[in-house]
Amino acid sequence: MDAQTQLELEAAAFRRLRKHLMEERTDVQNIDMMNLAGFCRNCLSRWYQEAAAEKGIEISKDAARESFYGMTMDEWKANYQTEASGAQSEAFKTAFAENVGDKS
């Protein structure tokens, strides 16, 4: 497979993941994703923002997040986010420290 085809397939798979999380699995909470997989929608948006910055493109945190939520963060929270349990919150502290550290 040539490099361009590989790049296009990877981009297509990434777009499909984004659509899946944004439209088809709004029930999946970020805290559960972070606790189980070490990343969430916010991580994806941060990686997107960082990739843009590497190319000299400035994208705000809010704009990057809208790319992965399909709406503002406040709208997402109001429509889909549920209250985290104590156990989820405790697990998140560990997952965040291990996978994100001091990045916000």
Side-chain angles (χ1 to χ4, degrees):
M1 177 183 314
D2 64 87
Q4 182 61 35
T5 300
Q6 181 176 350
L7 181 68
E8 291 170 8
L9 295 175
E10 289 169 350
F14 179 78
R15 286 189 301 270
R16 184 65 183 92
L17 171 63
R18 185 177 72 177
K19 181 179 192 254
H20 183 73
L21 293 173
M22 191 176 359
E23 298 176 12
E24 298 164 9
R25 290 308 308 266
T26 56
D27 61 313
V28 175
Q29 299 296 302
N30 281 336
I31 196 165
D32 292 325
M33 289 176 61
M34 181 60 85
N35 291 347
L36 294 171
F39 77 98
C40 66
R41 291 171 183 89
N42 291 335
C43 296
L44 289 167
S45 67
R46 189 182 76 247
W47 299 338
Y48 181 77
Q49 185 182 23
E50 290 169 356
E54 288 176 11
K55 297 228 174 254
I57 301 166
E58 186 176 330
I59 298 174
S60 72
K61 183 177 186 175
D62 289 338
R65 283 186 171 176
E66 283 187 41
S67 293
F68 288 86
Y69 286 95
M71 60 190 69
T72 68
M73 187 74 163
D74 288 339
E75 290 172 312
W76 179 271
K77 286 180 179 181
N79 290 321
Y80 303 113
Q81 189 165 309
T82 60
E83 191 70 32
S85 70
Q88 285 173 310
S89 295
E90 283 303 309
F92 178 79
K93 289 177 187 176
T94 301
F96 188 88
E98 290 176 352
N99 295 290
V100 180
D102 62 0
K103 295 179 185 175
S104 56

